[in-house]
Amino acid sequence: MRRRYRPPFIPSSEITDEKLWRDRRRIIRAAGIAGLGVAAGGLATLAGAFSGRPPGKGKGNAGAGSEALEPTPWKYITHYNNFYELGTSKSEPAENAHYLKTRPWSLSVSGECEKPGILDIDELLRLFPAEERIYRFRCVEAWAMVVPWNGFPLSDLLKRFQPTSRAKYVEFRTLYDPERMPGQKRRVLDWPYVEGLRMDEAMHPLTLVATGLYGKELPAQNGAPLRLVVPWKYGFKSIKSIVSIRFTEKQPRNTWNRMAPDEYGFYANVNPDVPHPRWSQKRERVLGTGIFAEKRPTLPFNGYADEVAQLYAGMDLRKYF
Amino acid sequence: MWRRAYKPAIFLLCLLPLAQMLWQLSSGALQPNPVEALLHGTGDWTLRLLLVTLAVTPLKRLTGWRRPVLWRRMLGLFSFFYAVLHFLVWLALDRELLWSQILEDLTKRPFVMVGFAAWLILLALAVTSNLWSMRRLGANWKRLHRLVYAAALLGVLHYWWLVKADVREPLIYLAVYAGLMALRLPWPPGGTVMSPWRRSL
């Protein structure tokens, strides 16, 4: 085994509360500015991506991406959710969170790989220690927030199962259990929720498996115990409460694409120039701001263009939206 | 007489949704997306009050209770009042007065177009809701004001085309609308309606 790291047990009394967490971030940010000269090359590019400062853009740039990322407060991230398995309104997922028991939980990995298998959630958490990633999050509904996730690169997990050369895509599935996910009792969507990524998207260092939020365990309404986070794509790509990963040769049909193919594509890259048929994607509402606050312009690939635009070189992004 | 207090009471009742929204806005209860909450709240109440307005005639036919006819204009105007708020929130806070985007919405997006069409109808009805217009328009007044049935249907459609997957709520509005329209059909065919509970005004 490559890594045998056992995270120490943390009693809930020792978990950082949001205020302390914020103070800590402030100190880290100050230190980060002081140490800016040290970071160089590709490392700086990636570090910039994680902290939300797009590389190559000076401080004077007035674009939305150039400002330091101020995380959205915990109560908003956890009480304004699109998670139809726990209810179709924004507030229901938090209200119904108690239904979603996350133990026992296991992840099955199958398809085009050398070593398919099943991983228990606690073993998975031991094998892949979480790091913090502060990402912009942009919903297809034109609202946005900033989320301090805890998680690990999806590529670390995928490599363990040794995908073969026939593995061109990765398909993800959410748990199907109407008892634990009462929203599934009505066929609002074609359950279970399915999402997919191209192999190179899945292996990209920005693509994260999130297991925590603000240094705490991931709340049920945010997709506990493990979810995908693909920060340059609309939020619906970041599938929650995953139980199955499958390597496939063919492109998977994701749930929203099956629901409304003209509105939701497979790629779903954040793109201000490709409107949703029912609304413009040019600007986004930052959650938690006042009623007179201006929306901010949406950035191509949600501000991560420097990191991911080359994945789509030569592709017609209007066709492959 | 208590009956004289009915109309002012209903007037105040119609202002309650607005009062609640303003209270929630000031207390932060509409966070984290207050503009969306105001947009949806004002839209909901436009449609609800429009359906209440359309319930006056069936109520009279079924129960013989004719007093609500005296409140119908006020109810309709309150529906328009929330429609104006809805339109202003959309224009100024949601679309941020960006005219190119507003024009795009009004010409390309069917759910916005039907909503705007409904709004224009309500505007025409509100403007002609006074006694002077009634006299001036004569028989045409009634024809014009029959457009309220179209406005309500367009309003339901506007809501239906907005939701992404869960059409339960628009369906409820559609069912209420269909029911209120069905109750207007002559029944028995050709006959007049006799109510067993006919009451005096």
Side-chain angles (χ1 to χ4, degrees):
Chain A
M1 214 161 289
R2 198 159 58 90
R3 274 192 278 192
R4 272 200 72 85
Y5 172 78
R6 279 174 182 276
F9 174 75
I10 305 169
S12 61
S13 59
E14 283 184 22
I15 290 173
T16 322
D17 72 43
E18 190 190 330
K19 196 189 166 302
L20 280 173
W21 186 93
R22 280 181 186 282
D23 290 344
R24 207 185 70 208
R25 293 298 312 170
R26 220 161 287 142
I27 294 162
I28 294 170
R29 198 177 300 140
I33 290 163
L36 211 64
V38 181
L43 197 68
T45 305
L46 218 52
F50 295 158
S51 67
R53 249 171 262 116
K57 282 179 188 153
K59 263 186 149 184
N61 191 318
S66 61
E67 68 216 39
L69 289 184
E70 183 62 33
T72 304
W74 165 271
K75 64 176 178 203
Y76 298 156
I77 297 177
T78 57
H79 288 79
Y80 190 86
N81 307 97
N82 276 328
F83 193 9
Y84 285 13
E85 283 82 345
L86 295 178
T88 53
S89 75
K90 295 287 187 288
S91 54
E92 277 172 314
E95 291 155 16
N96 293 329
H98 62 277
Y99 285 107
L100 180 51
K101 305 274 181 281
T102 57
R103 296 294 186 282
W105 195 281
S106 57
L107 173 73
S108 107
V109 181
S110 62
E112 308 290 349
C113 60
E114 299 290 347
K115 292 184 172 169
I118 294 172
L119 256 182
D120 179 73
I121 183 66
D122 292 311
E123 195 193 346
L124 186 142
L125 293 173
R126 270 197 300 277
L127 288 169
F128 304 100
E131 53 189 280
E132 183 181 76
R133 300 272 183 101
I134 303 180
Y135 280 163
R136 274 184 291 274
F137 184 97
R138 170 61 155 79
C139 180
V140 72
E141 294 167 0
W143 51 263
M145 52 186 176
V146 175
V147 188
W149 300 108
N150 307 97
F152 53 89
L154 175 65
S155 61
D156 286 359
L157 175 69
L158 296 187
K159 278 177 205 155
R160 188 186 156 86
F161 298 90
Q162 299 178 14
T164 67
S165 60
R166 288 152 64 96
K168 302 278 191 286
Y169 297 91
V170 190
E171 182 207 80
F172 306 84
R173 274 167 196 268
T174 295
L175 172 74
Y176 177 74
D177 180 352
E179 293 308 312
R180 284 193 277 177
M181 295 185 153
Q184 291 174 334
K185 287 176 180 167
R186 293 191 309 120
R187 260 183 76 94
V188 181
L189 294 176
D190 193 4
W191 316 115
Y193 196 85
V194 174
E195 260 306 338
L197 292 175
R198 218 169 55 187
M199 204 60 193
D200 56 345
E201 298 174 324
M203 301 304 282
H204 193 280
L206 281 175
T207 305
L208 195 72
V209 176
T211 54
L213 184 64
Y214 266 113
K216 300 178 202 180
E217 205 178 299
L218 197 62
Q221 62 268 35
N222 293 87
L226 75 161
R227 67 170 292 169
L228 189 65
V229 179
V230 195
W232 70 92
K233 292 174 180 285
Y234 292 121
F236 70 87
K237 292 297 289 183
S238 295
I239 182 170
K240 302 186 182 83
S241 305
I242 301 166
V243 290
S244 146
I245 292 180
R246 209 158 58 87
F247 297 101
T248 65
E249 219 176 341
K250 283 194 191 138
Q251 181 177 300
R253 275 304 290 278
N254 45 323
T255 298
W256 277 107
N257 178 250
R258 265 180 291 154
M259 278 288 293
D262 55 326
E263 299 195 351
Y264 310 100
F266 172 77
Y267 284 95
N269 293 318
V270 174
N271 189 342
D273 297 326
V274 177
H276 182 281
R278 284 181 283 159
W279 54 83
S280 161
Q281 296 288 26
K282 281 198 166 60
R283 297 168 70 78
E284 60 201 31
R285 166 83 54 204
V286 181
L287 290 190
T289 52
I291 58 164
F292 298 114
E294 252 189 277
K295 293 185 189 182
R296 73 177 172 205
T298 290
L299 299 173
F301 300 104
N302 203 23
Y304 300 98
D306 288 347
E307 289 78 26
V308 299
Q310 82 278 359
L311 297 178
Y312 311 99
M315 276 174 73
D316 180 358
L317 296 179
R318 287 182 179 275
K319 189 178 170 205
Y320 298 101
F321 61 86
Chain B
M1 283 292 276
W2 281 112
R3 279 176 184 173
R4 296 177 66 176
Y6 281 170
K7 200 169 175 177
I10 290 166
F11 186 93
L12 291 175
L13 216 58
C14 287
L15 283 173
L16 267 185
L18 177 64
Q20 193 200 16
M21 276 184 265
L22 292 176
W23 167 253
Q24 288 178 326
L25 184 66
S26 64
S27 72
L30 298 185
Q31 286 289 358
N33 198 344
V35 173
E36 181 191 67
L38 289 177
L39 196 59
H40 291 172
T42 51
D44 283 344
W45 282 102
T46 302
L47 209 46
R48 284 170 196 164
L49 285 168
L50 200 53
L51 292 175
V52 169
T53 310
L54 289 181
V56 169
T57 297
L59 191 70
K60 186 179 68 175
R61 281 183 68 170
L62 284 178
T63 68
W65 192 32
R66 284 172 295 168
R67 179 166 286 270
V69 175
L70 299 174
W71 314 325
R72 182 161 51 191
R73 176 165 60 185
M74 186 176 75
L75 289 168
L77 284 171
F78 262 115
S79 171
F80 177 65
F81 171 68
Y82 283 100
V84 169
L85 293 178
H86 183 64
F87 186 65
L88 290 178
V89 169
W90 176 73
L91 214 60
L93 303 181
D94 189 62
R95 300 288 94 207
E96 306 177 286
L97 299 176
L98 298 171
W99 300 106
S100 64
Q101 282 195 34
I102 290 165
L103 210 66
E104 203 178 287
D105 268 2
L106 287 174
T107 52
K108 282 190 190 164
R109 317 221 198 274
F111 96 93
V112 180
M113 287 155 76
V114 295
F116 188 59
W119 191 84
L120 287 176
I121 292 175
L122 292 185
L123 174 68
L125 303 191
V127 168
T128 59
S129 65
N130 48 66
L131 214 56
W132 182 79
S133 299
M134 287 175 91
R135 288 206 191 103
R136 238 194 112 93
L137 290 168
N140 286 329
W141 188 89
K142 196 151 197 171
R143 262 180 234 146
L144 176 68
H145 278 249
R146 284 209 179 104
L147 283 176
V148 71
Y149 306 130
L153 187 60
L154 290 171
V156 173
L157 210 57
H158 173 62
Y159 188 11
W160 187 293
W161 287 347
L162 163 75
V163 300
K164 292 203 312 186
D166 190 358
V167 293
R168 247 183 323 176
E169 272 193 49
L171 255 176
I172 293 169
Y173 284 103
L174 185 66
V176 171
Y177 174 79
L180 292 174
M181 294 310 279
L183 287 171
R184 288 178 153 74
L185 297 173
W187 192 263
T192 51
V193 180
M194 289 302 293
S195 168
W197 306 290
R198 198 160 276 265
R199 278 201 254 157
S200 70
L201 204 66

